[in-house]
Amino acid sequence: MAKFKGSIVVDKERCKGCGICVSICPNKTLGMSKEVNGKGYNFAVMVAEETCVGCASCGRICPDGVITVYRAKED
Amino acid sequence: MEDLRLMKGNEAFAEAAIRAGCDGYFGYPITPQSEVMEYLMKERPENRTGMVVLQAESEVSSINMVYAGAGCGKKVMTSTSSPGYSLMQEGISYIAAAELPCVVLNVVRGGPGLGTIQPSQSDYFQATKGGGHGDYRLIVLAPSSVQEMADFVPMGFDLAFKYRNPVLVLADGVIGQTMEKVVLQPQRPRLTEEEIRKNTPWATVGKSIDREHNIVTSLDLQAASQEKHVLHLQEKYREIEAAESRCEMIKCEDADYVLVAYGSSARICQKAVDLLRAKGVKVGLLRPITLWPFPSKEVKELATRVKGFMSVEMSLGQMVEDVKLAVEGKVKVEFFGRCGGIVPAPEEVVHAVETKLL
Amino acid sequence: MSSNICTPENLVYKKTSLLTDKVMHYCPGCGHGTIHRALMEVVDEMGLQDKTIGIAPVGCSVLAYDYMNIDMQEAAHGRAPAVATAIKRLMPEKFVFTYQGDGDLAAIGTAETIHCCNRGENILMVFVNNAIYGMTGGQMAPTTLEGMKTATSPYGRDVEKVGWPLRITEMVAQLNGVWSASRHTVHTPAAVMKLKKALKKGIEDSMAGKGTCFVEVCSSCNSGWKMSPVEANKWMAEHVLEYFVPGDIKVDGKMVR
């Protein structure tokens, strides 16, 4: 079975730091940033990049639509 | 060929709506105007022009259906009577705020409260001073015949679309229920979606790729832009005041005294003028056709050459305040009115003139 | 290292263009954003942008029209079903939906809701139930749970005094005009996918003239419930969904519950 490698891009200025993506990420790829954005929110970041499979769960649930998801077959 | 019919005012209004190319009527039955919807239901305008007629669950719902249709650039209308018109006030305020065109008919009955089903003119304040919450005005047309009930429908739509403002036709139970001859205007075609997209580019008919999405709303949470919007409305109202005030003057040329009356009161006063003139009293009649804008200019001009006015209403004195505002204390302004559904006789008006005005 | 896969050909998910770029005013973690996006994704996937007219309510989602990149009208409080009725009647070829909260749809607008459903207006009604009045600051809703504390039920909802939480979806499902009624959530990605399926079917069926399609979405209001977004979703799953049980209630004109 082919393995997938995923990655996400968070629009960190629009992220409100609710943490819902972190709570539902099946591979515990996501966490919250230490620093804050312009609005004072901690924002979602990949804390374990290598575990991301690009399942897009975070993108689908993000209330503010700030997550873009990419996925590629692993060589 | 002239299309001459014998009809009730309410029926003439309904038939005129179909012929005006109206797209939708949404209403709720209430005496004394139920014939409007009854006529439309019987006539099946969906087969004649494609016009939609729907009996809603309440006046609250029907006025919001009008808001919706107007927001789509459609020619839509409703009709009701006083208690129902009170229920519609929230919706009408939204329609005025969102600058949507529509025609609303209020066949006034006696209030306050559930009041009576008999004719009255006691909704004048509500009609001409706004009615609901906020700074807004309606264009208010006052028919005094079945012919005007019919004529004011297309005229109402024309004014409504010209100014993007709701138009209220303020009739009363007499005008609604009386049968008279009426000449009906020929059928106007309904607007196509293409015409709506062109004539009313703000209408919510589906976002095409060549424009931004359209939004119909009365909400603006920013004080500065809300103020700007209300000021814009006021500017529009000043424009309407300057251009659209209408009245009829009967025997005012040589008059010493002038009666001011609208709707069925004006019909009664016309007879009273004749009776008074037969007695040698030079009386005229000024009949406002638009109650808002009120024909203040004409009243003001008359005040420079007559000895006094009497406002005759089927209320306990509402329009008389606008007459006084126009006269500015130059001559005396008296009032005569009946209420509770009583229609005064011409002789009562004659007596009032003789005892109060002369 | 991972950044090199972030290229257009590897894109699997991004915000639909049927949502505008305006930053939503919703509180962090609010379900409205997810529900807005699910709905707009379906409209986008079905290619219906130019045929869609949406009705926004009064309540937290009053500004939905700023976020959904479609023609929209903002209705008076509770009147969205009346507004939608007229639009659909005047333009039967369009897709018309209402988007309403619990106060709007199940309290002040109950009459409009019931009569719209009873007439079987060919529209989709999206009913967001978060068991509280969010916008006005967390007061009791018709759907507030028994014993639940709100600003106007500070000692908990006393059902003896103010009645029981209203299952309006089960109520309207009884009406002949309603073609489908179901309850969903957006607290897990799987639930979002399920919601999207229901929305799609609701759009198809309402466009096909089957009748009113009614989709309730239970959503958390972490601000109103005074919890963190993640806690609120957990609390919703444990408490709200016990009373407001997700799933189909009426399918293709037949009661299934």
Side-chain angles (χ1 to χ4, degrees):
Chain A
M1 213 175 108
K3 279 197 170 173
F4 287 98
K5 165 123 199 76
S7 187
I8 64 165
V9 175
V10 177
D11 185 343
K12 66 176 189 179
E13 281 309 316
R14 294 171 69 103
C15 176
K16 294 175 185 162
C18 70
I20 288 178
C21 56
V22 177
S23 76
I24 56 85
C25 175
N27 295 333
K28 307 214 178 323
T29 307
L30 300 175
M32 299 310 291
S33 66
K34 297 270 188 301
E35 74 257 54
V36 294
N37 65 16
K39 291 203 176 78
Y41 293 122
N42 302 103
F43 48 89
V45 289
M46 292 206 283
V47 290
E49 284 183 31
E50 65 289 352
T51 60
C52 181
V53 293
C55 70
S57 292
C58 53
R60 290 202 172 87
I61 206 157
C62 172
D64 291 282
V66 305
I67 304 175
T68 306
V69 185
Y70 298 89
R71 183 169 61 172
K73 258 189 197 162
E74 225 166 10
D75 299 325
Chain B
M1 210 186 78
E2 204 176 68
D3 195 348
L4 182 71
R5 306 260 188 104
L6 181 68
M7 295 180 108
K8 275 189 177 188
N10 289 335
E11 294 170 345
F13 187 86
E15 176 60 32
I18 303 172
R19 290 174 183 234
C22 179
D23 296 296
Y25 170 93
F26 306 92
Y28 187 79
I30 181 170
T31 307
Q33 64 75 51
S34 298
E35 293 87 355
V36 176
M37 192 175 10
E38 286 170 9
Y39 182 93
L40 289 172
M41 288 294 183
K42 204 169 168 193
E43 199 56 32
R44 311 201 83 151
E46 67 272 23
N47 297 337
R48 277 175 61 183
T49 64
M51 175 183 173
V52 170
V53 186
L54 183 64
Q55 178 169 339
E57 59 271 27
S58 68
E59 287 90 349
V60 174
S61 188
S62 51
I63 194 66
N64 282 285
M65 290 176 178
V66 168
Y67 170 92
C72 296
K74 300 281 184 180
K75 282 187 184 174
V76 285
M77 68 194 315
T78 186
S79 64
T80 186
S81 179
S82 306
Y85 188 65
S86 287
L87 272 176
M88 290 183 180
Q89 290 315 307
E90 184 200 29
I92 292 174
S93 171
Y94 279 51
I95 291 170
E99 298 198 81
L100 301 177
C102 68
V103 173
V104 177
L105 168 67
N106 180 3
V107 182
V108 180
R109 57 189 249 185
L114 204 45
T116 169
I117 59 169
Q118 305 299 326
S120 178
Q121 295 181 320
S122 50
D123 295 356
Y124 179 91
F125 283 150
Q126 188 188 35
T128 59
K129 310 299 176 192
H133 60 285
D135 277 321
Y136 74 93
R137 299 284 182 159
L138 308 182
I139 298 171
V140 185
L141 304 174
S144 76
S145 64
V146 173
Q147 184 65 55
E148 284 187 337
M149 280 289 266
D151 292 346
F152 287 1
V153 179
M155 183 169 116
F157 276 123
D158 289 346
L159 288 167
F161 275 84
K162 182 175 176 190
Y163 294 103
R164 285 187 63 179
N165 205 69
V167 168
L168 172 65
V169 177
L170 193 77
D172 59 63
V174 177
I175 303 296
Q177 297 292 329
T178 302
M179 280 189 118
E180 284 183 328
K181 63 180 183 184
V182 51
V183 177
L184 295 166
Q185 296 187 15
Q187 181 68 51
R188 285 196 205 177
R190 288 176 53 231
L191 295 168
T192 62
E193 185 172 319
E194 215 168 63
E195 287 170 319
I196 288 172
R197 284 186 187 272
K198 188 166 159 276
N199 302 345
T200 50
W202 44 265
T204 54
V205 287
K207 185 200 172 300
S208 52
I209 45 166
D210 57 344
R211 66 157 166 84
E212 295 296 303
H213 63 148
N214 282 342
I215 297 163
V216 169
T217 183
S218 61
L219 176 72
D220 194 332
L221 293 166
Q222 304 302 321
S225 49
Q226 174 65 10
E227 184 184 48
K228 201 172 149 203
H229 177 62
V230 180
L231 288 172
H232 154 72
L233 292 179
Q234 289 300 317
E235 206 172 291
K236 178 171 84 175
Y237 301 148
R238 298 294 87 80
E239 193 188 325
I240 296 170
E241 278 177 333
E244 304 298 345
S245 146
R246 286 151 214 227
C247 68
E248 184 185 13
M249 301 232 243
I250 298 167
K251 298 179 180 164
C252 286
E253 302 80 16
D254 64 340
D256 291 327
Y257 300 94
V258 169
L259 303 179
V260 185
Y262 68 94
S264 48
S265 291
R267 298 282 288 269
I268 294 154
C269 285
Q270 232 176 304
K271 178 73 180 169
V273 165
D274 292 343
L275 293 174
L276 284 160
R277 283 195 172 250
K279 291 182 173 192
V281 188
K282 284 185 185 167
V283 179
L285 168 66
L286 185 147
R287 175 174 79 91
I289 293 169
T290 53
L291 299 180
W292 195 90
F294 188 74
S296 306
K297 212 179 84 193
E298 288 79 0
V299 173
K300 193 178 262 188
E301 191 276 318
L302 281 174
T304 63
R305 58 186 168 93
V306 302
K307 294 176 188 163
F309 292 87
M310 178 178 276
S311 183
V312 179
E313 306 171 44
M314 294 193 300
S315 77
L316 290 188
Q318 299 192 12
M319 183 177 68
V320 65
E321 293 189 4
D322 285 333
V323 179
K324 283 180 178 169
L325 280 172
V327 170
E328 290 177 320
K330 288 192 183 80
V331 292
K332 69 173 170 178
V333 177
E334 294 294 339
F335 169 77
F336 174 70
R338 295 295 302 267
C339 64
I342 303 282
V343 180
E347 292 74 16
E348 288 178 75
V349 178
V350 170
H351 180 73
V353 169
E354 287 172 338
T355 53
K356 291 183 171 184
L357 199 56
L358 300 184
Chain C
M1 197 189 68
S2 63
S3 61
N4 54 20
I5 71 161
C6 297
T7 51
E9 69 274 16
N10 292 330
L11 180 74
V12 286
Y13 189 85
K14 70 167 193 154
K15 181 172 77 82
T16 166
S17 64
L18 260 62
L19 284 180
T20 65
D21 286 330
K22 280 202 179 129
V23 175
M24 296 190 197
H25 71 284
Y26 302 118
C27 305
C30 175
H32 273 306
T34 312
I35 303 164
H36 283 15
R37 201 174 63 256
L39 181 57
M40 285 303 100
E41 280 178 6
V42 177
V43 172
D44 192 8
E45 288 157 15
M46 295 175 76
L48 289 174
Q49 185 185 27
D50 61 339
K51 276 198 165 59
T52 299
I53 293 122
I55 322 298
V58 169
C60 283
S61 48
V62 65
L63 293 173
Y65 58 71
D66 272 344
Y67 312 134
M68 299 184 187
N69 194 14
I70 51 168
D71 280 4
M72 286 193 83
Q73 293 196 10
E74 202 288 304
H77 202 10
R79 315 304 166 215
V83 170
T85 293
I87 295 175
K88 185 67 183 182
R89 294 275 180 139
L90 289 162
M91 300 186 292
E93 71 286 1
K94 308 286 180 187
F95 162 53
V96 181
F97 72 87
T98 69
Y99 186 104
Q100 303 174 261
D102 40 57
D104 195 87
L105 183 141
I108 195 167
T110 312
E112 282 75 11
T113 299
I114 288 175
H115 286 281
C116 174
C117 289
N118 193 49
R119 288 188 300 262
E121 299 296 343
N122 294 312
I123 62 162
L124 170 70
M125 295 179 75
V126 180
F127 167 41
V128 181
N129 174 8
N130 59 16
I132 204 159
Y133 282 22
M135 173 166 261
T136 44
Q139 295 84 7
M140 187 181 71
T143 50
T144 294
L145 299 182
E146 183 181 5
M148 193 172 156
K149 287 180 181 172
T150 71
T152 52
S153 59
Y155 307 107
R157 181 179 188 140
D158 181 349
V159 295
E160 297 299 323
K161 285 184 182 158
V162 297
W164 294 83
L166 184 60
R167 291 189 186 104
I168 201 160
T169 307
E170 279 83 346
M171 261 177 74
V172 298
Q174 306 288 334
L175 302 170
N176 288 339
V178 172
W179 175 250
S180 61
S182 56
R183 184 177 290 117
H184 297 265
T185 69
V186 285
H187 71 304
T188 67
V192 176
M193 298 303 281
K194 238 187 217 174
L195 169 65
K196 278 185 67 180
K197 263 189 201 156
L199 294 171
K200 187 178 181 202
K201 184 147 183 0
I203 295 173
E204 286 168 350
D205 290 349
S206 68
M207 292 279 282
K210 306 276 192 192
T212 309
C213 300
F214 196 99
V215 175
E216 175 177 340
V217 190
C218 284
S219 172
S220 63
C221 174
N222 57 74
S223 298
W225 299 356
K226 308 200 187 314
M227 297 173 194
S228 76
V230 174
E231 279 168 11
N233 274 352
K234 198 162 165 263
W235 192 85
M236 180 180 76
E238 285 166 6
H239 297 90
V240 177
L241 303 185
E242 282 281 294
Y243 189 87
F244 294 104
V245 180
D248 288 329
I249 296 159
K250 193 177 196 180
V251 177
D252 294 352
K254 289 189 188 70
M255 296 294 291
V256 294
R257 198 184 274 185

